[in-house]
């Protein structure tokens, strides 16, 4: 293509979805179900994407596309020079000088129909000069690799992210605890292994979709399926050089997120196109094929572990190197790299630890947040090594883990002192529930049965000052309206908000309603719906708002009754006096107040409770050692155990039973907590046995459900036991901490360890497909 005009395919991966009229019609949220909502002026957008993984853009000619009847605007990178990014601003809304992955947005079209917009993409001529690509993060981190971001040293970056200029390393996080080199000679056993964890896709039922409208005065309104409406407002405003007050983001219920709809991925494209057709709403939605490789993917990982223990099974040293495949832009992935670094020992107290965690630019799809935020990938290899190390000194893997797992007062890998945790209790309960130590017979002569167990920990990965806010308003009839900025993505956050508001205020739960949709013009601020932090952070804000409203009501009634507010309470929506046994309903008084005796006026007025929360105690870490007083707000810990059966004729793995035990601090809603444990286990099972985005020279090969396998109901074990452990968190509402992501973290290594228990083979890197297991058994001489 060098020196020639290349008509690039708007669907560069393949032809499984080539035309708008052939692609699936899943719209998602009811907000987008009917174009009539936006009127006859609604325009439809499609994106011209790079067909090459790495190339210079020599020329773009949009004249033929603009001449097509029905086309209203064509946008390129020349229109928007600003950079966008959450932790590292390294990405233009549309590519400018170069493209960096297959699917990189080169131009956008707005037209009166999707069909016309699609036709216009074929008329845009792009001339490329291909460049060498980087398709392996370990190679990408070397000086031999071509530089994908020559301006890396000039990018704006958060002060806790450490890019290395003149390299492809966008963040290098280090841990230096103790003296690793001197510890190896004291070890009775040492295990050393490397693992490659593939990219995977979130595959939400609802694909990404956004509609943007820009008014004549420049004010932007964006409707989007989003986990991060406030972050989107901030990042898009900064990239376009406008005030955040001029950007309004409206986010209805999300049809599946798992991290893919956090931050900004395609939403800025819709806004940028709408800027050129002011007054017209512009709708952009990804096809299922685009969802696989143009939205965020979970980063790939190359991980090298070395760990050793003494003859009694005490861990002495650990040395880890992580090469995170951040993809073409790592504006979100840099924090995954950091999180894996400060958690790199796993949930174990190890006196000597050396970790180097690198986020590396490659010419792969953009890596972003996914359920677990790097912890499933990191634990995949770490917990297999722990299992092997225990067996190397003839110690039971459960006993080995219990001997070394963190507990209250443990000195963590960053030097932080561990808060109270029920991890050892989780381990005991999981082992007991799976009948650890008892070998059950297989269901058939051609099958082998095994059990495996794994531990995990995860902290909310976020800036030290991520805040939450909430409002609690009372209505004339005493009912309560709660306003929050956190998003409902199926995890039950609105239910939790209602429960906490009811409990802190003193009203029945069915009196409480939560305002929807989230709207940045009217909803209280929330950093993002990520990091399993809403129950804890937003919950603190909601409970504070409830207490504030309660205080106003009690002081109002105390003044009217000439009593001390300490003698009053609110129970089931009534203010009662413990002193006089007088009672009054919240109905009417919450808006109109209470009359004073003898018609001497009124006291009170509309009650509006306000609350906010921001952790103020997280400290910075030394960039050379990773040491500091408090690296994170807290850790959620837990254990999983599985029993599997392997078919020796086919290599197929069947998970017979699963046990998940997690310390959640306090289960605000036990049924929803258990549902999260079960759902996380199933999603973890899917990544263990089936999932992997196949990339060859940067080109996705399985960007459809025809070729990308996920677990279905037939793959789920009949018996999943969820066990709640409660050791209260000191800064959590009612002692609660998050559980949304954590149940997905230990599933891969638990299954891998069960495979070893069944057939004596360490399966290494996932997914553990039937073909992979059968070939491993064949190589080991277990089958002919």
């Amino acid at each position: 293509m060098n020196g020639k005009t290349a008509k690039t395919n708007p669907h560069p991966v393949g032809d499984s979805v080539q035309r708008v009229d052939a692609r699936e019609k899943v719209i998602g949220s009811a907000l987008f179900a009917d174009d009539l909502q936006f009127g006859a002026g609604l325009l439809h957008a499609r994106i011209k994407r790079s067909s090459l993984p790495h190339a210079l853009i020599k020329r773009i000619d949009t004249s033929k596309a603009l001449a097509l009847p029905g086309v209203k605007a064509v946008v390129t990178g020349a229109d928007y020079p600003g950079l966008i990014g959450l932790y590292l601003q390294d990405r233009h809304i549309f590519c400018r000088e170069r493209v960096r992955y297959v699917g990189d947005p080169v131009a956008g079209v707005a037209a009166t129909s999707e069909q016309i917009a699609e036709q216009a993409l074929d008329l845009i001529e792009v001339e490329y000069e291909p460049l060498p690509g980087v398709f392996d993060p370990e190679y990408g981190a070397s000086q031999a690799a071509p530089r994908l971001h020559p301006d890396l040293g000039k990018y704006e970056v958060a002060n806790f992210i450490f890019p290395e200029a003149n390299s492809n390393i966008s963040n290098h996080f280090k841990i230096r605890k103790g003296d690793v080199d001197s510890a190896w000679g004291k070890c009775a056993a040492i295990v050393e292994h490397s693992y490659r964890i593939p990219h995977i896709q979130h595959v939400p039922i609802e694909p990404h979709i956004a509609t943007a409208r820009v008014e004549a005065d420049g004010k932007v309104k964006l409707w989007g399926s989003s986990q991060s409406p406030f972050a989107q407002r901030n990042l898009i405003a900064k990239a376009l050089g406008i005030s955040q007050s001029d950007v309004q983001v409206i986010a209805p219920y999300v049809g599946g997120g798992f991290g893919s709809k956090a931050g900004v991925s395609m939403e800025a494209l819709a806004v940028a196109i709408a800027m050129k057709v002011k007054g017209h709403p512009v709708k952009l939605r990804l096809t299922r094929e685009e969802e696989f490789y143009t939205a965020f993917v979970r980063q790939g990982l190359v991980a090298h572990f070395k760990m050793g223990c003494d003859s009694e099974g005490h861990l002495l040293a650990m040395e880890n190197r992580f090469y995170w495949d951040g993809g073409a832009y790592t504006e979100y992935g840099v924090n995954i790299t950091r999180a894996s670094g400060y958690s790199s020992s796993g949930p174990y107290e190890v006196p000597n630890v050396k970790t180097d965690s690198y986020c590396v630019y490659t010419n792969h799809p953009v890596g972003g947040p996914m359920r677990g935020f790097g912890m499933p990938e990191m634990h995949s290899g770490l917990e297999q090594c722990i299992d092997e190390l225990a067996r190397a000194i003839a110690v039971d893997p459960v006993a080995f883990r219990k001997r070394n797992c963190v507990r209250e007062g443990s000195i963590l890998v960053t030097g932080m002192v561990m808060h109270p945790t029920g991890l050892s209790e989780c381990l005991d309960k999981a082992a007991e529930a799976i009948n650890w130590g008892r070998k059950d017979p297989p269901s058939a002569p051609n099958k082998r049965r095994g059990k495996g167990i794994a531990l995990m920990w995860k902290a909310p990965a976020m800036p030290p000052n991520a805040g939450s806010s909430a409002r609690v308003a009372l209505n004339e009839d005493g009912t309560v309206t709660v306003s929050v900025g956190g998003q409902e993505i199926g995890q039950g956050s609105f239910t939790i908000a209602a429960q906490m508001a009811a409990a802190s205020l003193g009203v029945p739960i069915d009196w409480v309603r939560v305002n929807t949709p989230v709207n940045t013009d009217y909803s209280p601020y929330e950093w993002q719906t990520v990091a399993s932090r809403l129950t804890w952070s937003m919950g603190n804000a909601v409970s504070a708002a409830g207490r504030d409203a309660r205080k106003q009501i009690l002081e109002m009634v105390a003044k009217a009754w000439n009593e001390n507010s300490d003698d009053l309470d609110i129970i089931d929506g009534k203010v009662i006096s413990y002193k006089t046994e007088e009672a009054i309903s919240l109905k009417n008084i919450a808006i109109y107040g209470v009359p004073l005796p003898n018609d001497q006026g009124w006291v009170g007025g509309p009650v509006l409770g306000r609350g906010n929360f921001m952790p103020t105690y997280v400290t910075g870490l030394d960039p050379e050692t990773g040491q500091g007083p408090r690296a994170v707000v807290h850790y959620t810990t837990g254990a999983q155990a599985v029993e599997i059966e392997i078919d020796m004729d086919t290599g197929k793995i069947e998970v017979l039973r699963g046990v998940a035990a997690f310390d959640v601090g306090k289960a605000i809603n036990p049924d929803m907590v258990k549902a999260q444990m079960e759902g996380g286990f199933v999603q973890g099972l899917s990544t263990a046995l089936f999932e992997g985005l196949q990339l060859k020279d940067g080109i996705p090969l399985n960007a459809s459900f025809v070729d990308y396998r996920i677990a279905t109901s037939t793959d789920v074990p009949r018996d999943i036991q969820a066990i709640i452990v409660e050791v209260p968190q000191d800064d959590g509402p009612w002692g609660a901490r998050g559980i949304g992501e954590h149940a997905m973290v230990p599933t891969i290594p638990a299954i891998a360890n069960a495979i070893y228990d069944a057939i004596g083979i360490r399966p290494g890197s996932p997914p553990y497909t039937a073909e992979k297991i059968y070939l491993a058994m064949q190589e080991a001489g277990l089958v002919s």
Side-chain angles (χ1 to χ4, degrees), residues 371 490-491 669-682 722 724 739-740 743:
R371 192 176 194 177
Q491 83 283 38
N669 189 310
D671 286 343
M672 290 201 307
V673 167
K674 290 182 177 180
Q676 288 298 311
M677 290 187 193
E678 293 164 0
F681 177 86
V682 172
I724 296 173
I739 184 57

Side-chain angles (χ1 to χ4, degrees), residues 123-369:
L123 300 177
I124 299 174
E125 297 177 354
V126 184
E127 180 183 337
Y128 292 112
E129 179 183 325
L131 296 172
V134 174
F135 308 113
D136 177 86
E138 193 163 5
Y139 165 69
S142 71
Q143 285 298 309
R147 302 292 180 265
L148 305 189
H149 285 260
D151 294 330
L152 174 59
K154 302 176 183 177
Y155 291 154
E156 185 176 331
V157 61
N159 64 1
F160 50 84
I161 303 299
F162 307 111
E164 296 185 358
N166 193 33
S167 79
N168 291 321
I169 300 170
S170 55
N171 189 23
H172 180 188
F173 185 88
K174 304 174 186 176
I175 287 290
R176 303 292 187 266
K177 178 189 178 186
D179 186 351
V180 170
D181 293 336
S182 66
W184 298 123
K186 303 172 186 176
C187 293
I190 296 174
V191 166
E192 193 168 0
H193 286 294
S194 298
Y195 301 86
R196 284 185 173 269
I197 313 301
H199 297 79
I200 65 170
Q201 217 335 293
H202 310 69
V203 292
I205 293 175
E206 174 200 43
H208 280 69
I209 182 167
T211 299
R213 184 176 69 220
V214 181
E215 305 298 347
D217 61 3
K219 290 188 176 180
V220 176
K221 183 176 283 190
L222 172 66
W223 294 262
S225 180
S226 171
Q227 296 178 229
S228 310
F230 287 91
Q232 286 183 354
R233 179 186 68 174
N234 182 41
L235 297 178
I236 291 172
K238 289 170 69 175
L240 296 177
I242 61 179
S243 169
Q244 286 84 349
S245 65
D246 287 332
V247 180
Q248 179 184 10
V249 180
I250 301 169
Y253 288 114
V254 175
F258 312 110
S260 71
K261 293 172 183 172
V264 175
S265 55
M266 52 76 81
E267 297 80 11
L269 301 174
V271 174
I273 296 170
M275 296 283 282
K276 300 299 182 182
V277 286
K278 290 182 177 178
H280 288 272
V282 176
K283 176 188 285 187
L284 174 63
R285 53 177 166 150
L286 300 188
T287 66
R288 178 58 63 183
E289 183 183 34
E290 287 176 311
E291 189 75 29
F292 270 100
Y293 64 95
T294 70
F296 285 140
V297 300
R298 190 175 83 177
Q299 295 186 132
L301 171 65
V302 177
H304 303 289
F305 293 97
K306 181 180 180 181
M307 60 183 69
C309 66
D310 63 21
S311 59
E312 296 180 353
H314 297 102
L315 282 167
L316 297 182
M318 195 176 288
E319 185 171 352
N320 308 321
R321 281 181 294 121
F322 304 145
Y323 296 93
W324 292 92
D325 189 334
Y329 307 100
T330 64
E331 50 101 358
Y332 218 124
V334 289
N335 200 35
I336 298 172
T337 300
R338 182 175 187 268
S340 68
Y342 62 60
S343 301
S344 58
S345 64
Y348 302 102
E349 184 169 13
V350 188
N352 305 288
V353 182
K354 178 182 178 182
T355 299
D356 289 282
S357 186
Y358 303 95
C359 191
V360 184
Y361 286 118
T362 68
N363 296 115
H364 282 152
V366 179

